Amino acid sequence: MPRTLVTGGAGFLGSSLCEDLRKRDHEVICMDNLSTGDIRNIEHLQGEGFSFIKHDVTEYIFLAGSIDYILHFASPASPLDYLQLPIQTLKVGALGTHKALGLAKEKKATFLLASTSEVYGDPLIHPQREDYWGNVNPIGPRGVYEEAKRFAEALTMAYHRYHGVDTKIVRIFNTFGPRMRIGDGRAIPAFIPQSLANEPLTVFGDGNQTRSFCYVDDLIEGIYRLLMSDQNDPVNIGNPHEMTILEMGQLIIQLTGSSSKIIHDPLPVDDPKVRQPDISLAKGILGWEPKFSVEEGLKLTIKWFESIQNSS
Ligand code: UDP
């Protein structure tokens, strides 16, 4: 049974990964300092083949025994989180990645970095291909996340080239699904609870900025295929279905049968105007493409938000 460490394993994506890896019969060690993660995300996984370690990955990591795979997912990941935790965001991208890579080298483990479409910044090339270097403002409020992930990619490639560590880099585009945190400031976990409560949807700016939203199960499948591949250069994983934020708000209102109206709040600084993955590389080398339509994914996500509201 492969033994796999997931940092940030109690977060939205980390916990989905832990769940998937358990289904694939990995022994999973989940590490999280619970700064933005939530222990309730992994409670159902407790038992044989799963363990949780509360630890800040920016501090030295000691783990006994062999480790086959390390997936480094620890980081604040919503604009609101990294505005509130700017230094931690930089530290986990830099020092945390360093510690996780050091462990991978020591254990001769395959390492996968959760990178992001944010490395492309406010892109001047559309859609974004992996060979685009991006348009990032290093000193803007989003710079803490964007630059941390860019540094993390550079460090990962350095460990690959200099130390021969088997590394993978996934550039994750906007992903949604069950276990997103209400109030984390992102569009979908803001819009769904607002719609369910028939409260106004807070669209930032005129809402004509675009994003391309991928359902979490599709993302996780793509990540697993990348982990098992021999691709060391970054790969975009996302759903190319591009829509405006206004359209997303309207679709959520429609799917929830809500009477909510849309209101406009100020657009955050450096909010990217467009974002859409070019997934030719993932299609070609991983045989991967998304299976869930945005609407199917939203229905499942809405159902989950309804269930947690009913249980609280
Ligand atoms: N957004 C919005 N209302 C909200 C939260 C976000 O209009 O309550 C906008 C945000 O300005 C951005 C888009 O939705 O243009 C996607 O934001 P999100 O935080 O989900 O992801 P990111 O900006 O990281 O792509």
Side-chain angles (χ1 to χ4, degrees), residues 145-215:
Y145 185 63
E146 294 164 345
E147 294 296 5
K149 290 293 188 182
R150 289 166 69 94
F151 178 87
E153 287 199 6
L155 194 61
T156 301
M157 291 311 290
Y159 265 72
H160 174 62
R161 294 196 183 108
Y162 186 73
H163 287 309
V165 176
D166 182 20
T167 60
K168 325 282 172 195
I169 298 174
V170 56
R171 291 192 180 144
I172 299 171
F173 283 66
N174 292 67
T175 303
F176 68 99
R179 295 203 283 269
M180 292 190 97
R181 204 175 82 237
I182 295 183
D184 81 352
R186 281 189 271 204
I188 290 183
F191 292 166
I192 294 179
Q194 287 165 347
S195 285
L196 291 173
N198 294 310
E199 284 167 4
L201 266 62
T202 51
V203 167
F204 296 164
D206 59 13
N208 288 325
Q209 67 274 31
T210 70
R211 294 291 185 275
S212 305
F213 292 97
C214 184
Y215 186 61

Side-chain angles (χ1 to χ4, degrees), residues 230-251:
D230 52 16
Q231 170 76 6
N232 300 119
D233 287 338
V235 180
N236 290 338
I237 300 282
N239 188 329
H241 181 106
E242 184 183 16
M243 60 202 294
T244 69
I245 294 304
L246 202 54
E247 284 166 343
M248 175 50 86
Q250 286 159 346
L251 180 58

Side-chain angles (χ1 to χ4, degrees), residues 117-124 128 132-137 146 150 270-275:
S117 58
E118 296 276 327
V119 300
Y120 302 122
D122 191 4
L124 305 177
Q128 292 77 54
Y132 176 49
W133 293 350
N135 177 39
V136 168
N137 173 8
E146 294 164 345
R150 289 166 69 94
D270 294 337
D271 198 281
K273 284 179 265 317
V274 291
R275 197 183 277 155

